[in-house]
Amino acid sequence: ALGLLVEMASVHVDLSTIAYSAAVSACEKDGQWATALALLVEMAFVSVELDTITYNAAASACEKGGQWAKALGLLVQMALASVE
């Protein structure tokens, strides 16, 4: 999923929330919590909306990686952004 995301960007395809969420979910399944968080930062940088699925996948990746504080931080960030 990450490779596809990079390939899509390289051919100037507009990346959507769905594409990013798929990549974050792949990070979750592969235990790559830091990459999942980096994707969230990138989404904000390129003005792609973060949704519940994206936040939950990233929080789950952090939880699986033992990064409880980061997971809780994402849930707080989600609430502050009024994401439902």
Side-chain angles (χ1 to χ4, degrees):
L2 289 174
L4 180 59
L5 191 69
V6 170
E7 187 175 330
M8 288 171 69
S10 72
V11 293
H12 306 291
V13 172
D14 286 335
L15 299 175
S16 67
T17 301
I18 294 169
Y20 273 103
S21 291
V24 172
S25 291
C27 292
E28 172 198 3
K29 289 172 182 39
D30 199 32
Q32 297 181 23
W33 64 269
T35 305
L37 293 180
L39 287 170
L40 294 187
V41 171
E42 182 177 322
M43 288 176 75
F45 183 74
V46 296
S47 300
V48 173
E49 182 181 355
L50 284 83
D51 64 5
T52 304
I53 295 168
T54 311
Y55 273 111
N56 285 337
S60 181
C62 290
E63 177 266 325
K64 288 178 180 176
Q67 301 297 315
W68 290 97
K70 293 187 184 313
L72 289 173
L74 286 173
L75 296 177
V76 169
Q77 182 180 347
M78 185 175 154
L80 292 173
S82 300
V83 175
E84 297 180 7

